[in-house]
Amino acid sequence: MNTSRTDVLVIGAGPAGLAAARAARARGASVTMLDSSDQLGGQFWRHLPPERPSANERMLHHGWVKFRELSETVLSDDGCRVIRGAQVWAIEPDSTSAGAAHLAVHVVVGEPDGTGRRRLVLTPDAIVLATGAHDRTLPFPGWDLPGVFTGGAAQALAKGERLAVGQRVVVSGAGPFLLPVAASLANTGSDVVGVYEANRVPALVRGWLPKPWELAGAAGKGTELAGYLAGHLRHRIPYRLGRAVVAAHGTDRVEAVTIAAVTPDWAPIPGTKQRIEVDAVCVSHGFTPRLELAIAAGCELTAERFVQVDDSQHTNVHGVFAAGEITGIGGVDLALAEGQIAGHAAAGGLAADTEVRSAVRRRRTFRGFARRIEAAHGIRDGWPAMLTDDTIVCRCEEVSYGTLCRATDATGSRSLRALKLSTRAGLGICQGRICGRTIEALLADRVGDAGLTDGVSTDRRPIAAPIRLGELADPAHPDPASQHPVPLKGPK
Amino acid sequence: MTSRILPFQNDPIKPTAPAPVTITVDGVPATGAMGQSLAGVILASGTLRFRRTSVHGAPRGVFCGIGVCYDCLVEVNGQRDVRACQRRARDGDAVVTQHDELPAAPAGDAA
């Protein structure tokens, strides 16, 4: 053990971050936990604000008791400092830092997108990255109309505000997440006209059936999904396979959608279109991990583009650990197990220690579950057949599919960077978070067999969140609680 | 019909009666429940369009709902480019929807 306590910084207060904070504290580390929101729980446990107490909020959540237990533990612990409204906007190497991780973490603290937020620089001994994921939504004609939401938006507004995004709603896309989205909508007063899962029975069977014994330990997961299905039956929500929303219609807002049958690789089948009047549509095709801080810290990624970790959830960067959806989309149980192991290891423990034996076992079980989800529900290659020439693919810069194709053909370029610069796709204010991987896929498809050749990706964002120039000009405050005071200076 | 907050009397989670919060959207008053985001209050007031885009002047509203897409940007009390889904509504907040037109082409530029 070190003579001084290890300073562990946990970024993200969702399931993985909460579990990491508690485990690091259990091993005696001093913990700071940051979250950009003013609440704990992340997106999974998004809940009502303190101004709106209710007797039975747990019925909206899976694992609510676990959340209450974790959050009460960290909030009542003087050795765990929780900073809410804390947006990390850069991480950079700092060889002069007193913290053993030799990284400087730049933070602004205050009202979201406010002016005059307080700047803070943290230099911890170890970092646990638990930044989570957001919806991946593929483009289709009309997806930029008001009234088209991601599944995550519908969830956040239902669970966090008791707001139903529409009265007559369809849910479409792929993956088990469609079920809780539909359940939340129905619980909040929407008429869910239907849930349309693009994959078909053979894909679902291939993904879910092999090696059923692996699922034995995932009984809790089965209960979670069974609960959503029971809700479907209760609310009589139709669940259709091999179908998708292929267009949204309206002038100033969504008024209707077109549903079509799709092939096993998700291309719409001619002659199967059906128009349905709706006032909202929720679309989600999976999740994209939030990797920018991991990349800024120097973490290597896997071939599937998640953060590469070892048995201790340690990345290739000394002192930097990762847990939850950024190491693979696996859901709450996997995030809790990984978070616990990461927090324990960040505080100097080992994956072989008895304190984390159960977490290591759960991690093995639920990783198997994550592989099944990908096999059953993963994005298939035929989806660009939904696009028309004028379908917007980059929402921020309003770049259409046709523009993207013509620029690629006209320039003959096979460089992602060059094509982004010539079309501006992926260069808007969301920094390619919504369209980045879509743009990569469409361009790779367009340039043909040789593929894109410059080896860059849209995941890199050195400035991890927009920051106002006035805030940037203000000097950073040293961290008053740190054992390692830092000199006042901006990023290099 | 459009987005709607579930009346607390009908909510199976048995909430207490929420305290109201009142903001204005382009000068028109909108009332929601204390603790709601600006996005939630604006949506529940019947407005889906939060801004118009620069290139096509197209309507945009809440899309991701979790602070990732920046499509719900509004001006709040004179402060521009605030993600309405990330900011909690406070009594008296004056929200103005945004439309940032592209700058005029410089003289002599054929484009």
Side-chain angles (χ1 to χ4, degrees), chain A residues 240-372:
Chain A
R240 304 291 302 273
L241 297 173
R243 280 186 164 68
V245 166
V246 297
H249 313 283
T251 46
D252 230 30
R253 55 166 301 166
V254 166
E255 290 158 14
V257 291
T258 297
I259 311 278
V262 296
T263 64
D265 72 347
W266 292 14
I269 298 171
T272 64
K273 286 182 180 174
Q274 179 195 0
R275 194 178 158 110
I276 301 180
E277 311 286 311
V278 296
D279 58 14
V281 50
C282 301
V283 189
S284 185
H285 297 96
F287 292 95
T288 305
R290 306 183 76 150
L291 296 174
E292 49 273 344
L293 296 181
I295 291 171
C299 299
E300 277 174 19
L301 305 184
T302 63
E304 295 79 29
R305 293 169 72 179
F306 292 100
V307 180
Q308 174 89 58
V309 289
D310 68 11
D311 283 350
S312 300
Q313 301 295 131
H314 199 187
T315 69
N316 62 301
V317 179
H318 174 73
V320 179
F321 299 77
E325 307 299 75
I326 58 170
T327 70
I329 303 303
V332 66
D333 300 289
L334 183 58
L336 287 167
E338 290 186 353
Q340 188 183 341
I341 297 164
H344 178 76
L350 300 169
D353 292 341
T354 51
E355 297 98 307
V356 291
R357 189 178 293 158
S358 138
V360 168
R361 190 172 56 239
R362 281 180 284 126
R363 180 176 62 182
R364 193 180 314 122
T365 301
F366 291 110
R367 272 198 186 148
F369 201 81
R371 281 194 299 273
R372 285 164 191 272

Side-chain angles (χ1 to χ4, degrees), chain A residues 38-39 43 46 48-49 51-57 59-60 87 111-115 133-135 137 143-150 152-153 156-157 161-167 187-189 251-253 279 290 392 395-398 429-430 433-434 465-466 468, chain B residues 1-7 11-19 33-41 43-44 46 48-71 73 79-88 90:
Chain A
D38 59 3
Q39 289 185 314
Q43 300 309 333
R46 178 74 84 99
L48 285 158
E51 295 90 337
R52 296 175 69 183
S54 60
N56 201 12
E57 191 169 3
M59 70 172 286
L60 303 179
Q87 178 69 59
E111 222 172 19
D113 301 331
T115 51
H134 58 77
D135 293 73
T137 297
W143 76 309
D144 49 333
L145 278 171
V148 178
F149 300 88
T150 68
L157 289 162
E161 308 195 17
R162 305 305 289 137
L163 180 105
V165 294
Q167 295 305 298
N187 272 331
T188 316
T251 46
D252 230 30
R253 55 166 301 166
D279 58 14
R290 306 183 76 150
I392 296 289
R395 299 170 66 97
C396 298
E397 293 292 313
E398 301 176 76
I429 192 172
C430 91
R433 286 180 168 87
I434 299 297
R468 293 180 194 269
Chain B
M1 288 301 286
T2 181
S3 307
R4 188 170 71 180
I5 194 165
L6 181 63
D11 196 331
I13 69 170
K14 299 188 173 67
T16 55
M34 193 64 83
Q36 267 194 290
S37 67
L38 288 171
V41 176
L43 282 171
L48 265 83
R49 175 171 65 75
F50 282 48
R51 67 184 184 97
R52 285 202 177 273
T53 60
S54 299
V55 179
H56 298 302
R60 288 286 172 84
V62 175
F63 177 62
C64 83
I66 61 169
V68 175
C69 75
Y70 289 81
D71 251 340
L73 293 183
Q79 200 174 77
R80 291 175 41 83
D81 299 331
V82 173
R83 287 169 293 173
C85 72
Q86 297 296 289
R87 180 73 72 87
R88 292 202 193 273
R90 285 182 309 205

